[in-house]
Amino acid sequence: TFSIVRSELDVARHTRRFPRADTLASIYSRVVNSQAKLADVLTDHFPWVAEHHDSISEVAKAYTARKRRQSVLDYDDMLLFWRALVNSEAGVVMQRRFDHVLVDEYQDTNPIQADIVRGLCAGDATPTVVGDDAQAIYGFRAATVENLWSFTDQFDDSRMVTLTQNYRSTPDVLRVANGVLAQSQFLVRKELSTEIASGPAPRLVTCDDEAAQSGWVCDEILSLRETGLDLRDQAVLFRSGHHSAHLELELARRDIPFVKYGGLKFLEAAHVKDLLSLLRVLDNPSDELAWNRVLRMLDGVGPATTTRLLAELDIAGDPDGAFARFISGDVRMPPRAAADAEILRSAWIDCAATDPTDAAESSPEGTSTQSVTPAEQVDRLRAVCVATFPRRYDDAPARLGDLEQLAVLASGYATRSRFLTEVVLDPPERTGDLAGPPHLDDEFLTLSTVHSAKGLEWSAVHLLHVADGNLPSDMALGDAEGLDEELRLAYVAVTRAKTHLNVLFPMRYHIHRYGQDDRHLYAQLSRFFEPIRDRFAVESAGNRAELDEVVETKQVDVQASVEQFLDNLF
């Protein structure tokens, strides 16, 4: 929708670069969730587009108006509408329904969510929240740990109970975690302890470069596997998704299966969005964004033609009539799009009036009606994708296979509306999530960003790229609060490990990773781990480590050789 509004308002006419649609969406969401003024958000988080304040404001207002016109909500609206409901007359009725309000992960709430909790407890309900300020790592989503810190000030007679016993990690791992926590200038002071027996010492592995890091990690993963620690009990964690690129190649070369979290989510894949848009038009003909995507699937239909077709269909003014006009062919299609349009009409006709909800409402009481389930609708609409994907995607067969899995997911729902709602609110992370539990003999390693790993645990954790600029991210180095959130991210990564913790630090980063030259930059060990080196068993990996060992053992011989050479000269 931001893309459509941006185009219609022609705000990109400026001679200077104007933010793209995804940036506009991020700005809008942060303003709403942080409840901060647009000017402040631009200054603090998007300074490179601050000069476009007035145009961005215009886009945001047009975006909101368009949503209301189309009867759609985005994620931010769901919180805004909930808060408004809680603080309305209906909120009083809602408050009477609850004696207690329990909230988990309270450190990850934003100001709107905190308002909702206060609204629900405005009557006699007692709030109890659980949170760990050391795991507040979602500031980029406008979450604020201040909600947790100020809880006792917000609610009278409340008290804070600090829990310090850890039931997951060995004392050796917790020594590292406590060392990281102690460096924070913001967190509530606490020292984690455990009754679990001691285990192997965490290792800080200094690597020559990324290749040495990947090689060491693969060797260690296979070594642990030979001792009985399955791949499924191990994870490789990293700050950003691209940090695992080199390792993924090495894992593939060594035939080590893995699944990666923190990359592209299943619903973010273009081909999945295509099919869901086909369903969304059926469910809400006023959804202009879905119409826009569907029309762009047809052969010969580009941005200009899409704009013309949307105007001719009059989706904004008469959505139900628009759908009927398309089905009847009462719209000027480009000749190249005729075949695809006919396939689309046929598929929509098969699904349009036969959703179980529609059938139940339209059939006389006491009669039975043959209806098409959501799974069958997905299967019938797949014909449109079969016709259009080969032209749109290089890997069309694989993408069509994903849609078969989407039909499996849809089979668990009685109506199209419920399926669309649930799949957006609780989306699968990846295609594999749709396939059900793995076979007993399936084994795979987990690769994950630290953000995606929160709440999970493994017997062995290998943390990559622990260098300044990576962890902490170089984007956070100039801000004390941002830097502290990076420290909390390091803490979350460390505490995912139950027994084995390996922290890896490449000393050199090649400018051309796969090039023929050896140009490189030197890195520094992360400022979060440098002060606590003594809590690790320090190792080296790569040819440089072998050279150091040889030089150390042969030091006297080398020195003698040099002295003999100098004696001959002088």
Side-chain angles (χ1 to χ4, degrees):
T1 300
F2 272 105
S3 179
I4 297 173
V5 172
R6 183 181 185 273
S7 177
E8 287 185 349
L9 295 179
D10 196 24
V11 289
R13 63 185 179 279
H14 306 282
T15 56
R16 296 180 64 82
R17 184 180 53 151
F18 191 75
R20 296 186 304 184
D22 55 349
T23 303
L24 292 170
S26 297
I27 293 171
Y28 177 89
S29 185
R30 181 170 282 275
V31 169
V32 171
N33 286 286
S34 66
Q35 302 187 99
K37 293 288 188 181
L38 173 61
D40 295 333
V41 167
L42 293 179
T43 300
D44 295 341
H45 303 286
F46 302 89
W48 59 93
V49 297
E51 65 180 286
H52 299 298
H53 173 278
D54 292 344
S55 295
I56 292 173
S57 176
E58 182 183 6
V59 169
K61 292 174 182 176
Y63 168 72
T64 300
R66 197 181 203 93
K67 284 188 297 180
R68 302 298 173 258
R69 204 164 54 237
Q70 296 180 24
S71 301
V72 296
L73 301 179
D74 59 21
Y75 284 113
D76 302 323
D77 284 329
M78 298 182 70
L79 293 178
L80 290 175
F81 276 65
W82 187 5
R83 182 176 65 177
L85 181 64
V86 167
N87 293 307
S88 68
E89 293 182 6
V92 177
V93 178
M94 189 182 300
Q95 292 158 12
R96 294 173 186 157
R97 297 172 61 89
F98 305 106
D99 295 323
H100 302 277
V101 175
L102 312 179
V103 186
D104 194 14
E105 303 287 2
Y106 198 67
Q107 78 279 350
D108 293 329
T109 56
N110 62 35
I112 299 177
Q113 292 166 322
D115 286 345
I116 292 170
V117 174
R118 283 192 290 271
L120 288 172
C121 298
D124 296 325
T126 301
T128 300
V129 304
V130 178
D132 182 359
D133 59 349
Q135 297 191 54
I137 59 174
Y138 293 112
F140 66 94
R141 295 179 182 169
T144 172
V145 69
E146 185 63 36
N147 287 341
L148 184 65
W149 289 336
S150 64
F151 183 81
T152 54
D153 298 327
Q154 297 290 330
F155 295 92
D156 296 336
D157 301 325
S158 60
R159 64 191 181 97
M160 180 176 67
V161 178
T162 302
L163 306 177
T164 58
Q165 184 170 357
N166 183 284
Y167 298 90
R168 171 187 297 153
S169 305
T170 63
D172 314 84
V173 173
L174 292 185
R175 285 186 69 240
V176 174
N178 286 327
V180 172
L181 283 183
Q183 300 173 54
S184 172
Q185 58 179 308
F186 298 103
L187 296 175
V188 175
R189 294 297 171 192
K190 53 182 174 288
E191 185 84 7
L192 302 179
S193 61
T194 183
E195 296 180 0
I196 298 174
S198 292
R203 286 184 285 180
L204 175 62
V205 184
T206 302
C207 308
D208 283 359
D209 50 25
E210 287 184 273
Q213 175 180 254
S214 298
W216 191 95
V217 169
C218 288
D219 287 342
E220 179 66 11
I221 288 169
L222 294 176
S223 176
L224 288 173
R225 181 174 179 269
E226 290 302 310
T227 67
L229 194 63
D230 291 342
L231 295 181
R232 69 178 71 250
D233 293 327
Q234 303 186 53
V236 180
L237 305 184
F238 31 85
R239 172 62 178 84
S240 300
H242 67 274
H243 286 170
S244 66
H246 194 289
L247 176 64
E248 290 175 40
L249 295 177
E250 185 66 11
L251 290 170
R253 189 180 71 82
R254 300 205 192 190
D255 195 28
I256 301 176
F258 64 89
V259 61
K260 182 177 179 180
Y261 294 86
L264 187 66
K265 301 293 188 287
F266 182 73
L267 291 190
E268 294 172 357
H271 57 292
V272 177
K273 287 183 176 181
D274 289 342
L275 193 136
L276 290 178
S277 292
L278 292 167
L279 285 171
R280 284 166 53 196
V281 170
L282 285 170
D283 210 57
N284 178 12
S286 64
D287 189 338
E288 192 172 16
L289 187 62
W291 271 105
N292 184 77
R293 190 173 194 96
V294 167
L295 293 174
R296 293 285 293 273
M297 293 174 65
L298 308 181
D299 192 15
V301 177
T305 303
T306 299
T307 301
R308 175 181 65 78
L309 291 173
L310 291 174
E312 288 187 18
L313 290 168
D314 191 19
I315 293 166
D318 182 16
D320 291 328
F323 185 81
R325 281 188 288 277
F326 183 88
I327 294 298
S328 65
D330 189 19
V331 62
R332 294 180 295 116
M333 280 287 174
R336 285 172 52 190
D340 289 347
E342 186 56 38
I343 294 172
L344 175 58
R345 289 190 188 98
S346 177
W348 268 347
I349 289 171
D350 284 347
C351 302
T354 52
D355 185 71
T357 300
D358 300 330
E361 293 176 351
S362 60
S363 61
E365 187 175 353
T367 63
S368 61
T369 301
Q370 184 70 31
S371 62
V372 180
T373 66
E376 291 171 326
Q377 292 180 48
V378 170
D379 188 60
R380 295 185 183 192
L381 291 171
R382 190 172 176 271
V384 181
C385 303
V386 170
T388 60
F389 279 13
R391 185 178 61 255
R392 292 165 57 81
Y393 305 114
D394 293 334
D395 53 348
R399 293 177 185 258
L400 289 169
D402 280 356
L403 301 188
E404 293 178 1
Q405 298 297 336
L406 193 63
V408 173
L409 182 66
S411 65
Y413 296 89
T415 68
R416 180 178 58 232
S417 294
R418 175 59 62 182
F419 168 62
L420 288 172
T421 299
E422 294 292 338
V423 81
V424 171
L425 293 180
D426 188 19
E429 293 286 310
R430 54 190 171 84
T431 307
D433 289 350
L434 304 177
H439 296 297
L440 293 178
D441 58 347
D442 282 352
E443 188 182 15
F444 52 83
L445 175 74
T446 295
L447 308 186
S448 176
T449 61
V450 181
H451 283 101
S452 295
K454 185 171 175 290
L456 304 177
E457 61 182 41
W458 295 270
S459 294
V461 166
H462 316 281
L463 180 59
L464 303 184
H465 293 292
V466 183
D468 257 19
N470 290 334
L471 183 65
S473 167
D474 53 5
M475 299 294 289
L477 299 182
D479 175 67
E481 292 184 358
L483 189 60
D484 200 74
E485 181 166 323
E486 292 291 304
L487 182 143
R488 301 194 292 266
L489 201 62
Y491 165 79
V492 168
V494 167
T495 52
R496 298 311 94 197
K498 293 194 287 187
T499 306
H500 301 272
L501 173 64
N502 300 312
V503 174
L504 294 107
F505 162 56
M507 294 186 297
R508 296 183 298 169
Y509 285 89
H510 293 278
I511 296 175
H512 299 115
R513 180 184 292 168
Y514 306 110
Q516 300 300 314
D517 61 84
D518 190 42
R519 286 188 293 167
H520 58 269
L521 301 172
Y522 282 97
Q524 290 184 318
L525 177 63
S526 168
R527 64 191 68 192
F528 303 146
F529 292 92
E530 178 64 46
I532 56 173
R533 290 177 67 109
D534 61 335
R535 304 189 184 206
F536 291 90
V538 180
E539 298 183 13
S540 298
N543 295 330
R544 186 180 302 275
E546 298 174 8
L547 177 61
D548 290 343
E549 182 180 357
V550 171
V551 169
E552 184 176 350
T553 57
K554 303 294 184 180
Q555 186 173 5
V556 176
D557 294 339
V558 172
Q559 182 175 336
S561 176
V562 171
E563 289 177 353
Q564 181 179 359
F565 172 76
L566 292 176
D567 285 342
N568 291 335
L569 291 177
F570 296 101

